[in-house]
Amino acid sequence: MRRVDELREQTVWKSDPHTQVKHLVYRHYLQCWMGKILQTFPEATIVDAFAGPGVYTDGPPGSPIVVAKTFLEHTAYRRFNKLNLVCLEERTDRVEELRRQFAKLSPSPQLNISVQAPGVFAEQQPRLSTLAHRGRAETPVLWLIDPFDLKSAPFSLIRRCLADPRDEVLFTLFTNELHRFCQRENFDKTMTPYFGGTHWQSAVPERRGRREAFATAYQQGLKDQELFTGGFGIKVSNQSARYHLVLATHSEAGLKCWAPVTWKLDHYSGQGASAETAGALSLFDEASVVDRLDVALRAYAGTAQRWETLSSQAARLNHMDKHLRQVLDKLAAQGLAFRVDPVRARTAWPEGCTVRFYAPEDVADEAS
Ligand SMILES: C[S@@+](CC[C@H](N)C(=O)[O-])C[C@H]1O[C@@H](n2cnc3c(N)ncnc32)[C@H](O)[C@@H]1O
């Protein structure tokens, strides 16, 4: 049976390597998100809006079970406050299978699982939002948006999921379809609502890396709405990305969980993982991939910057504090960065320090 027929006709379908990588990203992100959010807020909610049946024919769990198990098996589980897991799926047979899969898990008083009656996400979103926030706009809500096609999740719907201050979205962006079909007649009628504007057109002329250019354009649309965003390409072997996972969040703190995930799965660039490289050790020296951060820090020449500013800058460029320290070491060795405060410290770049930057001309020997 062709895969597209399998997805359409069967309740449960076979997993593939892309799904495994996607779930790996979910697991790593959730590990961090749960660790931070569930020890800070009295309760939080994850909405799996395109939940699926919760299992694949060849055995691996589906995303709702991945979420529940990440919670139940978390090392900080005993310290966690309450998590609500709300699942929506449009097909009755898949909803029934999902309920069967959840019934196999041991119940936990801290985990409130709610499998909704079959429904279409765009119609159910306002009701799910009320349910997820539990009467408080400040309740953190993470929306997992993982449809089969472009039409089920237009930008306007994603935007609605981000209406409240602690809403976050982890979204599957179909960059391969966008790349393949963007020049088809009338496809703009799908593209423009999907992006929430015509800015997707900037990616069309790209001859190499058009999939990445679509991800960048989509993320630019989020940034234009004052949101923070991270992206990650899901691919197999050395092929191009089939789709991207895109995170949208109101807070820079959200990115602090995202960067480590992407670097864990892709030691080379933090931009995208193949099924083979996920979990494998790096063949490359990480020092070679922090160039964007190096350029950004050099632009501070002539100024003093606080650690918080530098750490934010690093997070926006999808780098972790360890990368920041690595680049600062390199700049310091060239005389281009100095810690000016505190004077004494146990490590070179402690949190809270202030760093002054210089340009190469400032360092050049005047006599030469
Ligand atoms: C890509 S699969 C989800 C896979 C699942 N998230 C996982 O990772 O294991 C998409 C699922 O969404 C369901 N679906 C499709 N359109 C939908 C809609 N508009 N609202 C809710 N569910 C929908 C499909 O039946 C399918 O089970």
Side-chain angles (χ1 to χ4, degrees):
M1 187 186 281
R2 284 190 315 151
R3 187 157 178 85
V4 12
D5 297 328
E6 191 190 7
L7 299 182
R8 195 170 38 234
E9 287 170 24
Q10 299 192 346
T11 305
V12 178
W13 61 93
K14 198 165 171 285
S15 76
D16 63 10
H18 297 97
T19 311
Q20 291 304 320
V21 181
K22 177 182 73 183
H23 286 176
L24 215 46
V25 176
Y26 280 10
R27 280 169 54 196
H28 282 299
Y29 185 69
L30 290 168
Q31 283 268 354
C32 178
W33 186 92
M34 287 176 181
K36 284 181 196 276
I37 298 288
L38 298 177
Q39 296 184 78
T40 308
F41 297 91
E43 70 179 311
T45 303
I46 295 176
V47 181
D48 196 340
F50 295 81
V55 69
Y56 291 84
T57 48
D58 48 331
S63 58
I65 304 296
V66 166
V67 175
K69 284 193 164 170
T70 307
F71 178 89
L72 296 169
E73 293 165 10
H74 201 288
T75 49
Y77 167 71
R78 287 180 192 287
R79 296 195 295 278
F80 279 176
N81 296 320
K82 194 170 146 198
L83 177 69
N84 308 299
L85 173 54
V86 177
C87 300
L88 183 75
E89 162 59 48
E90 77 170 350
R91 277 178 49 161
T92 308
D93 57 338
R94 291 180 180 159
V95 169
E96 283 167 1
E97 182 57 46
L98 180 56
R99 293 203 166 117
R100 271 193 291 277
Q101 294 301 322
F102 272 130
K104 294 183 192 168
L105 296 182
S106 20
S108 155
Q110 288 132 283
L111 180 60
N112 170 25
I113 297 169
S114 160
V115 178
Q116 300 290 297
V120 171
F121 182 52
E123 293 165 10
Q124 298 295 320
Q125 195 278 338
R127 190 181 63 78
L128 293 185
S129 178
T130 308
L131 188 65
H133 289 94
R134 313 259 142 183
R136 284 184 299 273
E138 317 73 62
T139 304
V141 178
L142 173 62
W143 300 82
L144 300 178
I145 314 266
D146 181 33
F148 272 147
D149 58 23
L150 279 74
K151 290 193 174 142
S152 310
F155 191 75
S156 56
L157 185 56
I158 302 298
R159 198 67 196 86
R160 265 159 51 199
C161 296
L162 289 158
D164 284 308
R166 293 213 170 82
D167 287 334
E168 279 187 23
V169 168
L170 190 46
F171 175 56
T172 307
L173 183 76
F174 292 107
T175 35
N176 194 40
E177 267 86 345
L178 298 170
H179 164 70
R180 287 176 58 207
F181 302 133
C182 63
Q183 285 169 312
R184 280 213 184 151
E185 210 179 332
N186 285 331
F187 205 66
D188 57 331
K189 294 193 176 60
T190 302
M191 303 283 278
T192 299
Y194 191 60
F195 279 78
T198 54
H199 49 291
W200 58 270
Q201 289 169 348
S202 66
V204 177
E206 289 290 328
R207 305 186 100 224
R208 308 183 86 234
R210 186 153 72 184
R211 294 169 184 83
E212 278 65 33
F214 277 124
T216 304
Y218 193 88
Q219 291 184 261
Q220 189 55 50
L222 292 166
K223 288 179 190 165
D224 291 346
Q225 307 264 327
E226 311 281 301
L227 292 158
F228 295 94
T229 171
F232 193 72
I234 305 283
K235 48 184 145 181
V236 167
S237 185
N238 58 355
Q239 295 171 8
S240 310
R242 182 176 290 179
Y243 48 82
H244 279 70
L245 289 181
V246 172
L247 177 78
T249 170
H250 292 275
S251 126
E252 221 165 61
L255 291 185
K256 292 263 173 179
C257 272
W258 184 251
V261 171
T262 62
W263 284 95
K264 217 173 268 167
L265 295 185
D266 176 4
H267 302 269
Y268 180 52
S269 71
Q271 303 286 305
S274 69
E276 285 82 355
T277 58
L281 283 174
S282 172
L283 295 174
F284 303 94
D285 175 11
E286 279 185 19
S288 61
V289 297
V290 288
D291 293 351
R292 283 178 306 163
L293 190 52
D294 187 294
V295 170
L297 295 191
R298 282 169 190 268
Y300 286 128
T303 69
Q305 299 293 333
R306 295 189 56 77
W307 177 260
E308 291 69 29
T309 309
L310 301 174
S311 177
S312 294
Q313 174 69 276
R316 283 175 207 223
L317 293 170
N318 196 40
H319 287 87
M320 296 186 277
D321 285 353
K322 72 168 186 179
H323 299 122
L324 174 57
R325 291 191 166 96
Q326 203 174 310
V327 177
L328 286 170
D329 279 345
K330 189 174 134 199
L331 295 182
Q334 297 166 24
L336 302 179
F338 280 88
R339 189 188 77 225
V340 289
D341 189 63
V343 175
R344 290 173 64 121
R346 295 220 330 259
T347 57
W349 312 108
E351 277 184 31
C353 70
T354 302
V355 182
R356 178 162 283 284
F357 293 90
Y358 292 94
E361 310 80 90
D362 302 326
V363 179
D365 186 347
E366 274 180 25
S368 61

